[in-house]
Amino acid sequence: MVQTALQQMSIAQPRLTPEQVKALEHATGLAGARLALALLPQARQLSLAPVSNFAVGAIAMADSGYWYLGANLEFAGLALHYSVHAEQSAIGHAALHNEQHIQAVVVSASPCGHCRQFMQELNQPVTITLPEAEHALGELLPYAFGPADLGIDGGMLSPEPGTLHHASDDTLLKAALQQANLSYAPYSHNRAGVALQLADGRIITGRYLENAAFNPGLGPMQLALSQLQLQGGRPEHITRAVLVESAAGISQYPGAAQLLAASSAVTLEHVS
């Protein structure tokens, strides 16, 4: 039913507008979380999981009324920590559209501890909707450690804007710079953004989303390649790639360069 409605409305993008959500509710008779659960197979189809062969789909439902699809992404031949989880994919998708609040994350499988910690960085009440039940994030992650424990008032979706500057008219570099200034790195201060140029002229971007527990953070190249996957692109479509980051005690470049090299013949340009 949902697949037919999507085809009839010519909805192919992994981001649903409030108007599209309402139209789907009218066409299917499903509303809110019930509709989102019915859309999870569409999200799972966006998965690329050559290591686990386990597809996971997620939808981040923003207060704005927009819904953001996400799916897990794995990289054959690389360590598993490079993987992008479906919840990270959906929330990162929302972050790239500058959403300020996620009211619910609908996911096809119970979130792992990694994803629960990642969602804790939102620093706001979030409902986790599963096919069999609905939970507050606090129920799934009791005694949580997050930004508030380190004196951070905001969260992943409300970073302080950066002030990085580069005197260049290079469109791709400026896109990466913009993402670096919008990135969230309150602990390391390693603001970082990635921009990928595709053969068809599109620019795909990603930004660094840090975590109080450090390891569950999402790197800018991981988010950019996740977006590439969600938007129907492939690594072989990349013609140029740029990483812009602030000088700090850590660097995104080694990991981002390794990740790109495993996916594309393009060399990563680095501006620090």
Side-chain angles (χ1 to χ4, degrees):
M1 182 192 305
V2 172
Q3 178 65 38
T4 300
L6 289 169
Q7 292 174 344
Q8 290 175 343
M9 297 176 195
S10 300
I11 298 176
Q13 292 299 313
R15 174 180 181 246
L16 299 180
T17 68
E19 293 75 22
Q20 288 172 330
V21 170
K22 289 180 182 177
L24 282 171
E25 288 179 334
H26 178 75
T28 63
L30 302 173
R34 289 181 62 215
L35 174 61
L37 286 167
L39 285 168
L40 284 177
Q42 314 306 317
R44 291 180 72 242
Q45 287 181 8
L46 300 172
S47 166
L48 184 62
V51 181
S52 69
N53 294 311
F54 185 74
V56 182
I59 298 173
M61 302 168 69
D63 274 7
S64 65
Y66 282 85
W67 290 7
Y68 297 86
L69 275 63
N72 58 322
L73 173 63
E74 299 168 358
F75 301 94
L78 291 184
L80 295 180
H81 70 260
Y82 283 110
S83 301
V84 180
H85 298 228
E87 298 91 329
Q88 291 179 307
S89 173
I91 292 170
H93 190 182
L96 288 171
H97 286 274
N98 300 318
E99 294 288 356
Q100 296 294 302
H101 193 277
I102 302 297
Q103 59 179 239
V105 176
V106 183
V107 60
S108 60
S110 184
C112 67
H114 183 101
C115 289
R116 298 178 195 198
Q117 182 63 48
F118 182 79
M119 290 186 283
Q120 180 67 22
E121 198 65 35
L122 292 169
N123 207 22
Q124 54 191 224
V126 181
T127 298
I128 311 301
T129 301
L130 305 172
E132 67 279 2
E134 185 175 278
H135 304 276
L137 177 59
E139 294 178 62
L140 299 181
L141 191 65
Y143 310 107
F145 181 86
D149 296 291
L150 295 176
I152 304 296
D153 292 329
M156 188 189 300
L157 298 183
S158 54
E160 291 291 329
T163 58
L164 300 180
H165 175 73
H166 193 283
S168 172
D169 291 329
D170 185 324
T171 300
L172 198 66
L173 191 154
K174 288 197 294 185
L177 178 65
Q178 180 185 40
Q179 292 304 320
N181 278 321
L182 292 170
S183 64
Y184 176 74
Y187 313 112
S188 70
H189 308 293
N190 179 218
R191 290 188 177 274
V194 159
L196 307 176
Q197 179 79 58
L198 305 188
D200 62 8
R202 285 184 294 163
I203 292 177
I204 304 293
T205 59
R207 65 180 69 159
Y208 181 36
L209 299 174
E210 201 164 64
N211 193 276
F214 286 23
N215 283 344
L218 186 63
M221 183 62 76
Q222 290 167 289
L223 182 52
L225 291 175
S226 172
Q227 283 297 297
L228 179 69
Q229 175 71 15
L230 293 180
Q231 296 185 32
R234 295 292 180 270
E236 57 266 29
H237 299 157
I238 300 171
T239 60
R240 189 179 167 212
V242 176
L243 164 69
V244 172
E245 65 177 340
S246 58
I250 66 169
S251 172
Q252 300 297 317
Y253 177 71
Q258 183 181 22
L259 188 52
L260 181 66
S263 309
S264 167
V266 171
T267 300
L268 179 62
E269 301 170 37
H270 184 210
V271 178
S272 175

